[in-house]
Amino acid sequence: MLFPALEDKLRRAKHSLDTATSDNITELCKQYLALLAEYRAELYKLPAKLGINRWSGSFILEDVDNVRRTVRAAIENTTRERNAAEALILSFTSISGYEAVETLNRQKYKGHTDWELRAGGVAIFSGDVAVERMTVQDAVTTASLLRREEHVARSADSAARQDNVLWYCLS
């Protein structure tokens, strides 16, 4: 552990994100991203703090290489986590009208798979008559909620499967 207090905060933030609800997942994701940025910044400062950016006779070359390898691995892991968290938050917050329609249809919103995006908004049509209609903004907001609910359900299912595997291994 390079920064125990910060790494503990990161673990708790990740756990909160993994157990989030559809109402708080976006905010928890933002908090996790902020902590990841703080951690990554500290990792980049570490070699200078330790005085190993330049050759110094007080360190054994093998120790310097080990520290650099450890820091590099931590930076790469943090970058992967950041990229995943950014992609997750974007999937909830950057939704086009077309993507909203795709989400409504995939989720069978209101029991339908024939939502369409047209100039007047998003609707289900019977011929040229809109049977069900909403604005593009309402469709985007609904799609965001559906995506958050879907992610939370997948996370809960994944956690339940991991718990079952752990219980099976322990029994």
Side-chain angles (χ1 to χ4, degrees):
M1 290 186 22
L2 300 170
F3 303 100
L6 188 50
E7 290 170 7
D8 185 50
K9 279 184 183 179
L10 275 169
R11 256 190 308 283
R12 284 186 276 126
K14 177 69 170 150
H15 176 72
S16 294
L17 185 59
D18 290 343
T19 58
T21 66
S22 59
D23 294 329
N24 67 3
I25 192 165
T26 303
E27 186 56 38
L28 291 173
C29 198
K30 289 177 185 177
Q31 291 171 9
Y32 185 56
L33 280 168
L35 281 171
L36 286 168
E38 181 183 347
Y39 183 64
R40 189 170 183 209
E42 290 300 317
L43 288 169
Y44 276 112
K45 294 178 197 173
L46 189 59
K49 285 181 181 178
L50 295 175
I52 60 172
N53 275 344
R54 60 200 179 299
W55 172 248
S56 163
S58 62
F59 289 103
I60 298 172
L61 189 55
E62 186 177 322
D63 291 339
V64 171
D65 286 342
N66 286 338
V67 169
R68 285 185 178 148
R69 239 188 322 272
T70 301
V71 170
R72 172 60 30 213
I75 289 171
E76 289 172 0
N77 185 50
T78 302
T79 301
R80 271 191 304 279
E81 282 292 314
R82 184 197 65 204
N83 291 345
E86 284 176 346
L88 180 63
I89 201 166
L90 282 174
S91 76
F92 302 145
T93 60
S94 274
I95 303 171
S96 71
Y98 293 107
E99 292 169 326
V101 167
E102 184 275 326
T103 299
L104 295 174
N105 286 329
R106 184 173 36 82
Q107 293 284 327
K108 297 180 182 172
Y109 183 66
K110 292 191 175 183
H112 294 277
T113 60
D114 53 351
W115 291 94
E116 294 179 30
L117 177 64
R118 293 197 182 172
V122 174
I124 300 168
F125 292 91
S126 177
D128 284 339
V129 178
V131 178
E132 182 86 33
R133 177 183 298 272
M134 66 177 96
T135 66
V136 173
Q137 184 57 51
D138 288 342
V140 166
T141 301
T142 301
S144 175
L145 176 61
L146 291 171
R147 286 179 176 190
R148 292 189 317 264
E149 288 173 345
E150 180 181 42
H151 176 79
V152 167
R154 269 195 322 261
S155 293
D157 185 49
S158 177
R161 276 186 272 131
Q162 287 176 355
D163 287 347
N164 287 340
V165 168
L166 179 61
W167 180 84
Y168 178 77
C169 290
L170 293 174
S171 54

